[in-house]
Amino acid sequence: MIDGITSEVYKGGKDLKKVQEVLRSIMTKIPSALSFNSVANDVGISHVTVEEYIEFLKDLFMIQSHITRWETR
């Protein structure tokens, strides 16, 4: 299963390390609300890139997301 996911990451033109970091950031925030910006700050990439990676992970059925662009605290 891991090899299949890794293969899809490379086929999708994504950086495996960034995929892992985005997933790690999301997992540390569950069950709290989170935003693309909060994940971007954790990983050190733009919120636009985070959004692209999350959409990619949703397409792979790895996550289901209700993440917003802005924090609503």
Side-chain angles (χ1 to χ4, degrees):
M1 182 172 147
I2 299 296
D3 289 339
I5 294 168
T6 301
S7 175
E8 290 300 317
V9 168
Y10 290 128
K11 281 187 213 173
K14 303 298 180 202
D15 181 293
L16 182 59
K17 183 175 175 151
K18 283 190 177 86
V19 168
Q20 292 169 331
E21 290 173 351
V22 167
L23 285 170
R24 187 174 298 113
S25 175
I26 291 169
M27 289 189 298
T28 62
K29 293 175 179 0
I30 294 172
S32 302
L34 59 122
S35 69
F36 295 127
N37 288 331
S38 67
V39 175
N41 289 336
D42 286 350
V43 178
I45 57 179
S46 76
H47 70 277
V48 174
T49 302
V50 169
E51 186 174 5
E52 290 172 4
Y53 274 67
I54 288 175
E55 287 302 315
F56 175 74
L57 292 168
K58 284 169 55 177
D59 290 345
L60 293 179
F61 301 102
M62 289 187 64
I63 63 171
Q64 181 179 10
S65 167
H66 300 287
I67 300 173
T68 60
R69 288 180 189 259
W70 299 277
E71 292 190 28
T72 55
R73 291 184 194 183

